[in-house]
Amino acid sequence: EDQVTQSPEALRLQEGESSSLNCSYTVSGLRGLFWYRQDPGKGPEFLFTLYSAGEEKEKERLKATLTKKESFLHITAPKPEDSATYLCAVQARNYGGSQGNLIFGKGTKLSVKP
Amino acid sequence: KAGVTQTPRYLIKTRGQQVTLSCSPISGHRSVSWYQQTPGQGLQFLFEYFSETQRNKGNFPGRFSGRQFSNSRSEMNVSTLELGDSALYLCASSLWQGPTGELFFGEGSRLTVL
């Protein structure tokens, strides 16, 4: 069964304290792995797509990396505005031509204190 | 460019009733997906529509249904509501350009079943 596990469930950082979030996945052929950010009361906001092992994507203080079994979201020198829940999702090769059929993890709730 | 619009934002129903939720995608987006988000299960895929046709369906009972209109607007319906249907229902739209995983989510409709 395809599934995504994210750890830790919650992470508290001081402003400027770098860390990483983990996303482990098992899927019958990975089509793509995606990171989203969700603020309270809002829908998820797309951050990155990764397609193959070794690929990396960066955006401001965030960098996403991908291996054959997991992905990491590295946060460098975080600021309070980076506080949010970060969601990881995968799409299997047998996605049936469906754009929206993503399997999401339960997320990591990040809190960055000033 | 207007984002994905969902109505209503909040609603309260009682067990046994039915509910209809509406979603207007971003202009030009032809694919609309629906997700259920709960604290225990996270985000779970309900179904996806493209050009008024259901492309894919998640593992939910037949009480959950949807449709898409010619202007790409979509509705989902839940009949015979149960307490466990209390959740945030998210709609996401995307361009039909292959599986990029880049979904644009609305802010959701929060359903409470009493």
Side-chain angles (χ1 to χ4, degrees):
Chain A
E1 182 185 346
D2 300 336
Q3 66 177 22
V4 176
T5 303
Q6 292 187 247
S7 61
E9 289 186 15
L11 181 62
R12 290 183 147 193
L13 299 174
Q14 287 297 125
E15 184 172 2
E17 179 187 3
S18 301
S19 188
S20 297
L21 313 181
N22 178 263
C23 170
S24 298
Y25 62 90
T26 54
V27 64
S28 51
L30 180 69
R31 181 91 184 181
L33 184 141
F34 317 99
W35 283 96
Y36 282 80
R37 166 191 171 131
Q38 186 173 24
D39 293 299
K42 305 279 188 181
E45 177 187 352
F46 173 79
L47 292 173
F48 303 110
T49 302
L50 300 166
Y51 290 111
S52 57
E55 190 174 358
E56 298 182 352
K57 293 274 180 73
E58 281 190 71
K59 181 179 180 179
E60 295 181 1
R61 295 176 293 282
L62 301 176
K63 183 168 92 171
T65 61
L66 180 65
T67 72
K68 288 189 176 179
K69 292 198 184 290
E70 58 191 350
S71 176
F72 291 94
L73 185 65
H74 306 279
I75 303 176
T76 302
K79 298 181 177 182
E81 53 262 42
D82 294 322
S83 297
T85 295
Y86 290 86
L87 299 165
C88 172
V90 299
Q91 189 170 55
R93 285 200 176 276
N94 61 340
Y95 72 105
S98 170
Q99 179 74 302
N101 185 4
L102 303 185
I103 302 165
F104 279 86
K106 294 184 181 178
T108 293
K109 185 174 181 179
L110 174 66
S111 298
V112 182
K113 302 299 180 187
Chain B
K1 194 172 186 182
V4 176
T5 303
Q6 292 188 244
T7 57
R9 290 292 315 279
Y10 303 92
L11 64 166
I12 300 173
K13 294 285 187 178
T14 56
R15 280 180 297 173
Q17 287 187 310
Q18 74 165 23
V19 65
T20 299
L21 309 177
S22 179
C23 172
S24 293
I26 291 172
S27 178
H29 286 193
R30 297 169 66 189
S31 173
V32 174
S33 305
W34 287 89
Y35 284 82
Q36 181 195 66
Q37 186 173 33
T38 59
Q41 299 298 319
L43 273 151
Q44 293 185 288
F45 174 72
L46 280 158
F47 28 65
E48 179 184 9
Y49 288 87
F50 176 76
S51 291
E52 303 176 64
T53 301
Q54 188 179 88
R55 303 292 295 210
N56 212 332
K57 190 177 191 304
N59 192 23
F60 278 83
R63 299 185 297 106
F64 293 80
S65 63
R67 59 178 176 169
Q68 186 180 34
F69 303 96
S70 58
N71 62 358
S72 293
R73 192 176 70 85
S74 178
E75 288 181 349
M76 68 163 282
N77 183 276
V78 188
S79 62
T80 319
L81 285 166
E82 300 177 359
L83 295 179
D85 296 334
S86 294
L88 180 66
Y89 290 88
L90 290 160
C91 166
S93 74
S94 60
L95 291 168
W96 191 255
Q97 291 181 336
T100 67
E102 185 170 359
L103 305 180
F104 295 83
F105 283 87
E107 295 192 332
S109 293
R110 184 165 295 281
L111 170 65
T112 301
V113 182
L114 301 177

